[in-house]
Amino acid sequence: MADDNNLPQDDNLSVDADLTAGETTEETTAAAETLEGAAGSKTEAELADLKDKYLRLAAEFENYKRRTTKERADLFKTANQELMVSLLPVLDDFDRARHHTKETEDAGTVRESVDIIYNKLNKTLTQKGLVTMEVKGGAFDPELHEAITQIPAPTEDLKGKIVDEVEKGYYLGDKVIRHAKVVLGQ
């Protein structure tokens, strides 16, 4: 085998790596520009499409925020409407009781009127989810009760427990809406 490195080389016979199969430099440059132009217009179209989608999404989000803000404001304005409508008959009963017991001297009649209205109000509020706390004789829980004072326990089993209830506590569903004010046994 002959050593190919020792053969004389002609400078005109060298092969340019960029040129292949008879292409000239101008042809290669023109082809590259055509490819770049096609890719550039495609990229610009994609960019314009994405920009349009972004602007539409931003506008849609702004409309959503505006709509939910308005709905919330309306909800706050009318949140108590259902409760108020259900309490109107109780208010009517109070009005009738005041009117009919205005001239009576019989305390029993007035008490009976008040009891009837109290029961109706209690029933209405219970239907709306209001529940009274049962606390007397139970253990003190600072998350449910507010201790007003402590007194000596009347019996040994009431030490550290709730002896008396000064003001009732209430739940609305599972949430405490008013803590019970209680007296603890010492």
Side-chain angles (χ1 to χ4, degrees):
M1 279 192 158
D3 191 6
D4 290 348
N5 292 338
N6 292 337
L7 294 175
Q9 291 186 347
D10 187 1
D11 289 336
N12 293 334
L13 295 177
S14 65
V15 176
D16 188 0
D18 293 336
L19 297 177
T20 57
E23 289 182 346
T24 63
T25 308
E26 292 84 25
E27 291 173 344
T28 305
T29 307
E33 287 175 358
T34 303
L35 289 174
E36 286 177 11
S41 65
K42 183 178 179 184
T43 305
E44 288 175 13
E46 288 176 0
L47 179 63
D49 186 45
L50 290 174
K51 192 175 187 180
D52 182 55
K53 286 181 182 178
Y54 170 75
L55 290 174
R56 289 179 188 273
L57 185 63
E60 189 175 318
F61 182 68
E62 285 299 318
N63 290 339
Y64 167 77
K65 282 188 349 184
R66 194 175 310 117
R67 184 176 62 248
T68 54
T69 302
K70 183 181 181 301
E71 287 172 357
R72 264 184 112 188
D74 291 345
L75 180 66
F76 285 132
K77 288 179 184 176
T78 61
N80 293 327
Q81 180 177 351
E82 182 183 345
L83 178 63
M84 294 301 158
V85 168
S86 65
L87 291 177
L88 287 176
V90 176
L91 186 62
D92 293 339
D93 288 347
F94 270 118
D95 191 39
R96 281 190 289 274
R98 286 179 55 214
H99 177 70
H100 290 296
T101 59
K102 189 185 305 183
E103 297 176 14
T104 186
E105 298 293 326
D106 184 14
T109 305
V110 175
R111 185 176 301 117
E112 185 180 334
S113 301
V114 170
D115 286 343
I116 291 170
I117 296 170
Y118 172 80
N119 290 333
K120 187 172 187 175
L121 176 62
N122 196 22
K123 180 181 175 189
T124 302
L125 293 175
T126 302
Q127 288 173 345
K128 297 298 177 187
L130 189 71
V131 178
T132 306
M133 285 185 195
E134 298 297 328
V135 298
K136 205 165 184 182
F140 177 74
D141 183 354
E143 293 189 21
L144 302 176
H145 312 119
E146 182 180 338
I148 301 296
T149 188
Q150 292 184 349
I151 62 169
T155 62
E156 284 296 316
D157 61 324
L158 287 178
K159 280 192 175 183
K161 304 236 183 210
I162 299 171
V163 176
D164 193 19
E165 181 179 45
V166 177
E167 191 173 83
K168 290 183 178 187
Y170 293 96
Y171 298 103
L172 185 58
D174 292 334
K175 184 180 177 186
V176 176
I177 60 170
R178 186 170 85 181
H179 294 81
K181 294 184 180 175
V182 297
V183 177
L184 295 177
Q186 201 174 22

